[in-house]
Amino acid sequence: NEGTTTVSEAFETANVAAEVVIGADEILEGLPRNTPYTQGSPDRAWDTDTFAASYIANTLLATFLEQLPEGSPKDLVLDFSGDVAQGASRLQALKARAVNLAPAGLLRARGFCTSSPSGLALTGVEVQLGPAGYTRFNSSSPAEQWSLAKQALLSLGMFIQECFHTAMHLFGGTVLAAAQRALPFDSLAHGAFEP
């Protein structure tokens, strides 16, 4: 029968639920788990160059990548300096506005990437450590410095993503409110536009 759960499906669901509960117990008891992209995991996969490049390539941050003017077409920069270049696109100007909204505790940074058929590779990060300018870090830098540089870049990236995420909700709410106000209150369509 359509819509009926079989015994095997119910058993499978129960097993998944049990794994989730067991996983929650492990977390609460401080036991190690096989969660490679969770900060603090034993293998530190979240701290790898692969994770950083994947995060940039598979999120909204990819839309902010720009080609380096002096590099090859495969050399890209993710510029979170807050500066707007002459002739920059509207999206890049909005990104710069979001960067300038960030609290001072989030360091300004630029991520340098190379694009290849196998994907994006993070090759370097410049971090603004003071008024003097930017300091460049890469995989040849001391491990702690390289790790912190990637974290500075991705922390600011997450802030910018949240700015755009919030803006999308505000825009959607405004559009729904405008559509709702345009319809008679007692119409059936008015109720369809509930936020």
Side-chain angles (χ1 to χ4, degrees), residues 42-195:
D43 64 358
R44 296 180 57 97
W46 58 271
D47 194 27
T48 63
D49 299 350
T50 303
F51 173 77
S54 290
Y55 187 82
I56 292 167
N58 296 301
T59 63
L60 177 69
L61 299 181
T63 62
F64 301 127
L65 287 168
E66 303 173 81
Q67 186 177 346
L68 283 171
E70 67 277 356
S72 79
K74 295 180 180 185
D75 294 333
L76 306 167
V77 64
L78 183 60
D79 188 352
F80 293 148
S81 65
D83 299 330
V84 181
Q86 185 70 19
S89 69
R90 175 100 171 111
L91 182 65
Q92 295 297 339
L94 288 171
K95 175 204 58 172
R97 285 178 62 186
V99 169
N100 291 325
L101 288 173
L106 288 175
L107 300 173
R108 304 307 183 249
R110 295 183 187 112
F112 296 90
C113 303
T114 302
S115 177
S116 71
S118 62
L120 198 66
L122 184 65
T123 58
V125 177
E126 287 182 352
V127 180
Q128 187 177 21
L129 299 175
Y134 287 82
T135 303
R136 188 171 181 114
F137 303 96
N138 57 36
S139 58
S140 301
S141 301
E144 296 81 11
Q145 292 178 357
W146 177 228
S147 176
L148 288 172
K150 290 184 289 187
Q151 290 174 40
L153 177 71
L154 295 182
S155 295
L156 190 52
M158 287 179 198
F159 176 85
I160 291 164
Q161 282 182 273
E162 286 305 312
C163 285
F164 277 80
H165 179 209
T166 302
M168 296 301 253
H169 282 287
L170 291 172
F171 177 74
T174 303
V175 169
L176 281 175
Q180 197 174 35
R181 287 189 183 110
L183 297 169
F185 184 75
D186 58 349
S187 72
L188 291 174
H190 184 273
F193 286 103
E194 290 294 322

